Amino acid sequence: MNWFTGGAHGEAKRLITQLTDSTKRDAAARELIQLGADSVPPLIDALQTQDLGLLLYYQQILARIPSATPLLTRTLSTAHPIIRARVVEILGISKDKTAIPALLDAVKGEYFTVRSRAALVLANIGDAQVLSALLPLLKDRESEVRNAACIAVAKFCDPSTFDDITNVLLDDPIMDVRRSAARALGETKHPAALPFLMEALRDSSWWFEQEEAAADLLIAIEKMGSVAVAPLIEALSDKEGTVRKYAAITLGRIHDPRAIDELGMTIYDLHHEVGKAAAEALAKFGAPIVDIFIEALSHPESAVRENSLVALSKIQDERVVPVLIEMLQDPVKDVQRQALLALGALRDSRAIPALEGIIANRADREMSALAKQIIENIKKTNFLL
């Protein structure tokens, strides 16, 4: 049969066509793997496909043919750049260490798509000896390569490389690349990376009109876990309000009890966003910190009282509803309204008499209408229960 179809290569081509048929795909893939080296040239030719779904099958099959590596590595220096990049991905699937020399040549090649993918594959193979070849890519002229280099270098979790990654973190002209550096350092979860991330937090270019970038940076710091608590507590005293705000947010996410006292003091920060962030962070500790907010409700600054009411609305505790009802008598209308909204969030039937009193007093029609809606919601909730 092979003689009529052009030998083993012809048989391989026939089987490759069967990969388009979902009913024959698995059997054809097994036979292609069994054919071994004879399948490799036709499969490499098939990598030119525009069908990305089929491309994945071709790549997976080639990765499972051990004898494919020599021809794949030769292709890295001769094929079209698109094919070279796809071959690099195959070597990443197989993680064949014999491909390392060819991949090291690829990271020095002329095509940036190949350089970037080769860097990632070398990192996934995991041989630390390649680090010296990856570090220069952090200064590559192409942003895609610098992105990949940050991820690749950081995968080795080698503290001696963190300073090089930080040069990208702080100085790269492209913010997306700097974000890659932050994410990469965060993924290491290595305590030695934390000072560099904290340095970025104090760099205004990371948060001035850069909310998405700042979000990546905060996640990176959060991944450091408990070792980040002390530096973040220190940052609550930073001269920049935004730094204090982000420190409070991150402490709330890490949820370490050591932060409770400092966050409790920070809710009185007169920078509105800082006080609000601290209150939201503190609320995540739940019932044990209710007294902190109850005390804050007597503060002369109405913003402090409002932030405390918002926080209390997120805590399920028997002490909360009576306090919220009392705050309906606050001299500041915005605080009264926030107390009303907090009662609405908790949907506790104990609030109904106070709410009915607001409805009866039609002097403030907005508050009256809001109280009426809250009662309806409370009754619906109790009915469902």
Side-chain angles (χ1 to χ4, degrees):
M1 176 64 73
N2 285 350
W3 184 83
F4 289 107
T5 58
H9 284 192
E11 176 67 3
K13 289 179 180 178
R14 183 184 70 80
L15 291 169
I16 288 169
T17 62
Q18 291 184 3
L19 294 174
T20 60
D21 186 337
S22 61
T23 64
K24 300 178 179 179
R25 185 174 295 149
D26 290 344
R30 285 193 295 270
E31 290 188 52
L32 284 164
I33 292 168
Q34 289 172 359
L35 278 174
D38 291 323
S39 294
V40 176
L43 280 167
I44 290 176
D45 288 341
L47 293 177
Q48 300 176 62
T49 182
Q50 308 258 330
D51 187 327
L52 297 183
L54 279 175
L55 173 64
L56 291 174
Y57 285 106
Y58 302 152
Q59 290 177 311
Q60 289 288 341
I61 293 167
L62 280 165
R64 293 178 64 184
I65 301 174
S67 57
T69 299
L71 187 53
L72 288 171
T73 55
R74 285 200 295 274
T75 304
L76 280 180
S77 60
T78 58
H80 187 279
I82 292 177
I83 304 304
R84 295 189 197 192
R86 292 176 175 180
V87 167
V88 168
E89 290 171 349
I90 295 166
L91 297 173
I93 298 168
S94 67
K95 295 186 179 180
D96 188 339
K97 289 192 173 185
T98 65
I100 288 177
L103 289 166
L104 288 172
D105 287 338
V107 297
K108 301 173 186 174
E110 60 182 310
Y111 302 111
F112 73 90
T113 53
V114 180
R115 294 199 303 276
S116 61
R117 295 185 198 187
L120 293 172
V121 168
L122 282 168
N124 286 334
I125 291 174
D127 189 331
Q129 296 183 40
V130 306
L131 255 178
S132 59
L134 295 176
L135 286 171
L137 299 180
L138 293 169
K139 299 178 181 178
D140 195 275
R141 63 183 179 276
E142 296 289 342
S143 61
E144 183 176 320
V145 180
R146 299 197 301 278
N147 261 322
C150 288
I151 298 167
V153 172
K155 275 195 177 241
F156 292 93
C157 292
D158 184 341
S160 69
T161 66
F162 293 168
D163 193 54
D164 296 280
I165 300 173
T166 301
N167 289 334
V168 180
L169 178 77
L170 298 176
D171 300 328
D172 197 277
I174 308 297
M175 180 50 78
D176 280 348
V177 179
R178 296 172 69 181
R179 290 169 66 184
S180 289
R183 289 192 294 265
L185 285 171
E187 288 297 331
T188 68
K189 299 180 182 178
H190 197 297
L194 180 59
F196 300 114
L197 293 169
M198 294 302 297
E199 185 178 353
L201 182 63
R202 289 184 165 90
D203 183 340
S204 62
S205 66
W206 264 96
W207 40 258
F208 183 70
E209 297 183 351
Q210 295 284 355
E211 286 189 18
E212 290 184 4
D216 283 339
L217 180 59
L218 297 191
I219 290 170
I221 295 172
E222 180 188 350
K223 287 184 176 180
M224 295 289 130
S226 61
V227 297
V229 173
L232 287 167
I233 287 175
E234 182 182 349
L236 289 175
S237 301
D238 194 272
K239 64 180 181 180
E240 289 288 347
T242 304
V243 174
R244 301 198 301 276
K245 177 182 79 169
Y246 285 143
I249 290 170
T250 311
L251 284 167
R253 292 175 180 172
I254 295 174
H255 204 259
D256 190 302
R258 289 175 293 165
I260 289 176
D261 288 344
E262 297 295 334
L263 287 170
M265 293 173 60
T266 307
I267 64 175
Y268 297 104
D269 194 306
L270 296 184
H271 186 300
H272 174 69
E273 291 186 2
V274 178
K276 180 181 178 183
E280 290 176 356
L282 200 55
K284 294 180 180 180
F285 291 90
I289 49 77
V290 166
D291 287 339
I292 294 175
F293 287 122
I294 291 175
E295 183 179 348
L297 291 176
S298 62
H299 194 274
E301 287 290 336
S302 62
V304 173
R305 303 199 298 277
E306 284 186 64
N307 290 337
S308 298
L309 289 168
V310 173
L312 285 169
S313 73
K314 299 175 182 178
I315 301 173
Q316 294 292 332
D317 186 271
E318 286 295 313
R319 294 167 289 172
V320 172
V321 170
V323 169
L324 297 181
I325 292 171
E326 184 179 339
M327 291 303 293
L328 291 172
Q329 306 303 318
D330 192 276
V332 177
K333 181 180 175 181
D334 286 343
V335 178
Q336 294 173 20
R337 188 173 188 278
Q338 192 57 65
L340 198 56
L341 291 171
L343 288 168
L346 292 173
R347 297 194 179 192
D348 191 309
S349 60
R350 288 179 293 167
I352 290 178
L355 295 171
E356 288 174 338
I358 292 173
I359 294 171
N361 179 8
R362 298 181 60 82
D364 190 324
R365 299 185 68 179
E366 179 193 359
M367 293 283 280
S368 177
L370 183 55
K372 184 177 181 180
Q373 183 61 56
I374 291 170
I375 287 179
E376 290 177 5
N377 292 338
I378 290 172
K379 289 180 177 178
K380 284 179 184 177
T381 301
N382 290 336
F383 176 76
L384 291 173
L385 293 175

